[in-house]
Amino acid sequence: ARLVVLAAAATGLVLTGATPAHAALACGVNELDQNVFLVNDGFWNNPVNWSRSHVPAGGEAVCVPGGIVARVNSSTTGLLGASGGSTTTLRVEGTVRIESGTTVGLATAIYGASNLINGGVIQVLGNSTFDMNADQAGAAAFQNAVGGSLIQVQNGSTVLLRRGFVNAGTIDLTGGGAF
């Protein structure tokens, strides 16, 4: 890699998109290539809780890393931004907790594509609804991944599934939640 940099400098080439050697992985993706939720037990809609200082926008890769709880309350309407022609992916290795009677969609609109890969925990609590809405781009199925992933739906709460879903984890409807 050092030889390439020296050669590029000698010929006057400009290298773009280079990743620092110290960049860490979050949710299996370089942390610099995505918007990562950073504050344990913080609220989703607070821009300072995100590595890019804004809530997720259309076309971004989004990560909730292991050991982190991201709380979603009534001031949030969608977990992911959406824009035509772009794909937005949410990878969960920590916990996304939808609470306080919130109705929230995976995406704020059906334009563009949205993916959900859950390798952690998604909790739908306190008479809340999580709408795993469809999109017009026909993005890949939602995934509850192998290795301990969990979708927990509490009594009075609902998950609406509006397109393909691959479940290799656990869906817990203890207490009467609906899926």
Side-chain angles (χ1 to χ4, degrees):
R2 184 180 175 151
L3 180 60
V4 172
V5 172
L6 292 176
T11 61
L13 295 175
V14 177
L15 297 177
T16 60
T19 302
H22 67 277
L25 293 180
C27 297
V29 176
N30 184 310
E31 68 181 11
L32 300 177
D33 294 334
Q34 59 187 334
N35 198 357
V36 179
F37 194 85
L38 301 172
V39 179
N40 188 37
D41 207 32
F43 286 102
W44 188 276
N45 62 332
N46 188 343
V48 301
N49 292 339
W50 293 95
S51 63
R52 293 186 176 173
S53 300
H54 65 260
V55 295
E60 285 189 310
V62 179
C63 168
V64 178
I68 296 290
V69 175
R71 296 173 61 194
V72 180
N73 61 14
S74 59
S75 58
T76 302
T77 58
L79 299 182
L80 302 174
S83 61
S86 67
T87 300
T88 304
T89 299
L90 170 58
R91 290 177 178 83
V92 178
E93 290 184 353
T95 300
V96 173
R97 181 176 296 146
I98 301 167
E99 58 190 14
S100 305
T102 300
T103 296
V104 65
L106 176 62
T108 56
I110 60 172
Y111 305 104
S114 56
N115 297 318
L116 170 64
I117 303 169
N118 180 33
V121 177
I122 297 174
Q123 296 176 318
V124 187
L125 309 174
N127 297 310
S128 296
T129 299
F130 181 36
D131 187 352
M132 295 170 69
N133 46 339
D135 63 42
Q136 290 184 330
F142 298 121
Q143 299 175 40
N144 206 22
V146 176
S149 60
L150 170 67
I151 297 176
Q152 179 185 27
V153 187
Q154 191 180 60
N155 185 31
S157 296
T158 304
V159 172
L160 303 174
L161 183 61
R162 300 181 189 256
R163 82 177 126 113
F165 181 76
V166 176
N167 184 35
T170 302
I171 299 171
D172 178 2
L173 303 176
T174 303
F179 191 91

